[in-house]
Amino acid sequence: MSLDTLVLPAVADLASPRAVSIPDIDLGFDKPRAQTRVVVAMSGGVDSSVVAALVQAAGYETIGITLQLYDHGAAVKKQGACCAGQDIHDARRVADRIGIAHYVLDYESRFKEAVIDNFADTYLAGFTPIPCVRCNQSVKFKDLLETARDLGADCLVTGHYVARVAGPDGAEMHRAVDRARDQSYFLFATTRAQLDFLRFPLADLPKPAVREIAAALDLPVAVKPDSQDICFVPNGKYADVVAKLRPGAAEPGQILHLDGRVLGEHAGVIHYTVGQRRGLGVATGEPLFVIRIDATRRAVIVGPKEALAVREVVLSDVNWIGEHVDGEDALDGRAVLARVRSTRPPVPGRLKIGAGWSVVLDAPEEGVAPGQACVFYDPAHGGQRVLGGGWIAATDLTDPRSS
Ligand SMILES: Nc1ncnc2c1ncn2[C@@H]1O[C@H](COP(=O)(O)OP(=O)(O)OP(=O)(O)O)[C@@H](O)[C@H]1O
């Protein structure tokens, strides 16, 4: 492993100049904290900076790692946006301030393969991807986690807003106290083994408290704005990124009504997502929505709002971290609260285990897009516990078997 090492030996003076209570972080190990080695994933943002400072202040042997994930120079030049190179610099300044070792690791090729290429290919397949889940699943909780183990760490700590709770069967994942910040939807693919090694100290802290701690500890990122949207698409122009990586994705095709009428032409399926109303460029007198995308025919299928209603959500690559069961068949009919988009509240439904997994919702949901995640929460815990989830592979609208 090649490490771009910046070890900063200064001992941190974390005495708080303001009347803000600095929480003691207990990561739950039996051995003395000074002998417990902790790797903190430092993005250069305020959340993981506070986490690193709290872990250090609690007396753990703290190592900060920042991943260089994409070509910052190109991103800045092309998109004129806030620069991730600046984030690396910020992480170093924080590590310097609190006096911890800090490494910057080049994960560009892994990130491109596991996240950016997958993002482009998923769009090309007519799906609506969530690259943050892929990044958590593969880059952070697989590659970085392995690196942390290689470094002899006892755990990997991140600034995610999610809770890890000790349960009768081992570590459980729960939603964060700050529901507005809760990132459990994006972490559904976290396995039990990964959860064992992870710690999330921000589980109980509301974001304003995190900012107050950052200011009280005089962290150089205390007033840095929150990161927005997808890190490698800083100006929000997903289609440009995909078109550059996969030129075929921008090929035009037909806009078809559900009833078979050809309504017009589109400039590439990557510009559309299920549930979209704006920007269709067809005028028929009735409000029309994207009902499904047929990537094989390069067709965008539109129809009335009622046609968006979905009852059954077909899943792939399901990760179950709920109660232990003897074989997944035992989960057939299991009641869950299912969240079909990050912006939607969880709604009641039941798991259906047959040839594969699906969720049958008690009441239809609109705008369920293949490529997004369907995350299960436990109704028995007031929706607090995450039971797992899967990728939305098809719905009763998009499954070709149903058309
Ligand atoms: N480039 C990176 N290198 C190392 N760790 C990272 C990196 N990007 C994100 N992380 C870790 O993943 C966590 C969640 O990432 P996310 O992109 O959601 O950041 P965030 O909510 O904006 O938090 P932050 O304020 O720490 O940037 C971060 O708090 C951090 O622990």
Side-chain angles (χ1 to χ4, degrees), residues 97-357:
R97 164 78 185 102
I98 63 178
I100 61 168
H102 179 239
Y103 303 100
V104 178
L105 305 184
D106 180 357
Y107 273 36
E108 260 190 63
S109 57
R110 286 182 238 196
F111 186 72
K112 176 160 187 319
E113 204 177 291
V115 182
I116 303 183
D117 285 348
N118 175 275
F119 174 77
D121 291 336
T122 308
Y123 256 125
L124 263 182
F127 289 20
T128 307
I130 322 178
C132 301
V133 177
R134 297 278 174 197
C135 180
N136 287 327
Q137 180 183 24
S138 49
V139 177
K140 290 178 191 157
F141 294 173
K142 188 164 174 287
D143 300 331
L144 176 58
L145 196 146
E146 275 166 24
T147 299
R149 284 192 198 280
D150 288 348
L151 289 171
D154 293 286
C155 65
L156 171 65
V157 170
T158 74
H160 284 107
Y161 284 84
V162 75
R164 177 189 181 277
V165 173
D169 297 331
E172 298 177 0
M173 185 185 287
H174 288 228
R175 297 179 77 174
V177 159
D178 189 336
R179 282 290 178 103
R181 293 277 166 181
D182 171 55
Q183 290 178 301
S184 59
Y185 181 84
F186 299 97
L187 295 167
F188 81 88
T190 309
T191 63
R192 288 184 202 279
Q194 290 166 344
L195 204 48
D196 273 345
F197 195 71
L198 289 161
R199 300 291 186 278
F200 309 109
L202 300 187
D204 302 324
L205 287 174
K207 179 78 182 208
V210 172
R211 285 229 176 253
E212 282 200 347
I213 294 169
L217 298 180
D218 198 21
L219 299 184
V221 294
V223 293
K224 185 174 176 179
D226 291 343
S227 51
Q228 298 292 325
D229 225 351
I230 298 171
C231 67
F232 61 92
V233 191
N235 57 6
K237 294 192 174 169
Y238 313 133
D240 290 358
V241 172
V242 179
K244 192 164 156 265
L245 286 161
R246 303 283 189 273
E251 280 178 25
Q254 287 183 324
I255 300 182
L256 301 173
H257 195 282
L258 271 178
D259 64 16
R261 275 179 292 155
V262 179
L263 299 182
E265 274 233 325
H266 64 74
V269 293
I270 53 170
H271 298 285
Y272 302 89
T273 184
V274 171
Q276 179 178 335
R277 179 177 176 186
R278 295 207 176 140
L280 298 184
V282 289
T284 59
E286 60 168 330
L288 290 174
F289 296 79
V290 175
I291 306 298
R292 64 172 187 263
I293 293 164
D294 184 336
T296 335
R297 289 194 292 158
R298 290 210 307 273
V300 174
I301 320 288
V302 300
K305 193 170 177 6
E306 312 80 79
L308 280 172
V310 161
R311 282 296 299 276
E312 182 164 351
V313 184
V314 181
L315 304 174
S316 65
D317 298 313
V318 172
N319 179 47
W320 177 258
I321 48 171
E323 70 272 12
H324 278 290
V325 283
D326 291 330
E328 60 187 37
D329 286 350
L331 290 169
D332 192 31
R334 175 27 159 134
V336 295
L337 294 171
R339 195 165 162 202
V340 293
R341 280 213 176 198
S342 64
T343 48
R344 292 283 176 79
V347 294
R350 284 185 185 277
L351 298 178
K352 185 168 133 186
I353 320 285
W357 290 62

Side-chain angles (χ1 to χ4, degrees), residues 59-80:
Y60 292 98
E61 184 198 346
T62 312
I63 299 171
I65 292 189
T66 301
L67 306 176
Q68 178 169 330
L69 297 176
Y70 53 95
D71 182 347
H72 312 296
V76 173
K77 267 186 243 128
K78 288 222 160 359
Q79 290 147 357

